[in-house]
Amino acid sequence: DTAVSQTPKYLVTQMGNDKSIKCEQNLGHDTMYWYKQDSKKFLKIMFSYNNKELIINETVPNRFSPKSPDKAHLNLHINSLELGDSAVYFCASSQGLGNQPQHFGDGTRLSIL
Amino acid sequence: AQSVSQHNHHVILSEAASLELGCNYSYGGTVNLFWYVQYPGQHLQLLLKYFSGDPLVKGIKGFEAEFIKSKFSFNLRKPSVQWSDTAEYFCAVTGGQNFVFGPGTRLSVLP
């Protein structure tokens, strides 16, 4: 069973569209994250949720809105997509904040036309 | 705030060569340290971690890392690399609530 699963795996869309990426973890963790990995492989944290509460919200355009309906899910909604949003988005989870290893999903490759 | 630096952007080695990837961090408090590997087209996987105790940590696939507190370093080593070790390697540091990744080092192993 996949521990952290993201859907879709690939997402190709046009500028200006709104899209969502879903993430679910079955590890029983209480903390979930969204990362953006650019073409140079630089990994940047976007959001962190602990027990459904927003903990980390890095400098991310407000077009990006995370939603955590429960501890096992953290979805990412993106409005008005721009060319610069093209990247691989990784969801991750951990038990507790900060000091435990994170388990990553397979990533969602977002390509903006 | 924490920061993590990895000295090498891209390392190219031949099979059977020894590997050492540098990682330095800045943080004044107690840290936990990690190395992750990302094989081409895949997600990040944990190689090894250091929380406390023996500063020499052994991980999966023959990797090890040494925590040197005085140097704020956590370098990754492997005595003999294989072609299958070709990947991106990320050092990560946690302190408090923050989990910070380094910029990554690409390792290319030539057969």
Side-chain angles (χ1 to χ4, degrees), chain B residues 5 15 17 24-25 29 34 36 40 42-44 46 54 56 58 61 73 81-82 86 90-91 98 102-104:
Chain B
S5 62
E15 275 194 315
N24 283 89
Y25 66 92
F34 307 84
Y36 283 82
Q42 296 188 25
H43 62 273
L44 276 77
L46 183 67
D54 188 344
L56 185 60
K58 294 197 183 300
K61 306 189 182 191
S73 70
V81 293
Q82 301 171 312
T86 294
F90 294 91
C91 180
N98 297 318

Side-chain angles (χ1 to χ4, degrees), chain A:
Chain A
D1 285 340
T2 304
V4 181
S5 60
Q6 298 177 226
T7 54
K9 192 173 176 66
Y10 299 97
L11 187 52
V12 181
T13 190
Q14 292 185 326
M15 271 199 310
N17 285 349
D18 303 338
K19 290 293 178 187
S20 291
I21 308 172
K22 295 185 176 181
C23 179
E24 176 182 3
Q25 54 95 4
N26 62 8
L27 296 167
H29 290 163
D30 60 4
T31 306
M32 296 184 72
Y33 311 80
W34 276 110
Y35 288 88
K36 179 180 181 181
Q37 187 175 47
D38 62 23
S39 58
K40 295 183 179 179
K41 301 293 187 184
F42 186 71
L43 201 62
K44 182 185 175 189
I45 190 165
M46 301 173 70
F47 302 102
S48 167
Y49 269 72
N50 175 254
N51 285 316
K52 301 195 305 175
E53 287 190 23
L54 181 64
I55 302 299
I56 295 174
N57 183 1
E58 294 295 316
T59 307
V60 175
N62 57 15
R63 298 182 293 104
F64 290 79
S65 54
K67 282 187 172 50
S68 182
D70 55 57
K71 286 195 301 183
H73 296 83
L74 180 62
N75 303 325
L76 183 65
H77 188 76
I78 316 170
N79 289 328
S80 302
L81 281 157
E82 299 177 358
L83 285 175
D85 298 332
S86 295
V88 181
Y89 292 83
F90 285 99
C91 177
S93 73
S94 68
Q95 183 56 33
L97 275 169
N99 63 350
Q100 294 296 323
Q102 296 184 11
H103 296 254
F104 284 80
D106 287 340
T108 295
R109 183 174 294 277
L110 174 62
S111 300
I112 310 300
L113 303 177

Side-chain angles (χ1 to χ4, degrees), chain A residues 35 98-99 102, chain B residues 2-5 23-36 50 67 72-74 90-102:
Chain A
Y35 288 88
N99 63 350
Q102 296 184 11
Chain B
Q2 300 135 271
S3 67
V4 181
S5 62
C23 172
N24 283 89
Y25 66 92
S26 65
Y27 183 69
T30 301
V31 294
N32 296 315
L33 300 152
F34 307 84
W35 274 98
Y36 283 82
Y50 172 80
F67 171 49
F72 298 90
S73 70
F74 190 55
F90 294 91
C91 180
V93 175
T94 71
Q97 295 185 356
N98 297 318
F99 198 107
V100 179
F101 282 88

Side-chain angles (χ1 to χ4, degrees), chain B residues 48-94:
Chain B
L48 48 79
K49 63 190 179 199
Y50 172 80
F51 285 1
S52 63
D54 188 344
L56 185 60
V57 180
K58 294 197 183 300
I60 60 171
K61 306 189 182 191
F63 287 91
E64 65 178 30
E66 184 174 13
F67 171 49
I68 303 180
K69 190 175 181 180
S70 60
K71 295 185 178 180
F72 298 90
S73 70
F74 190 55
N75 292 355
L76 181 71
R77 299 195 291 249
K78 185 170 183 178
S80 175
V81 293
Q82 301 171 312
W83 178 78
S84 58
D85 293 324
T86 294
E88 195 87 18
Y89 291 81
F90 294 91
C91 180
V93 175
T94 71

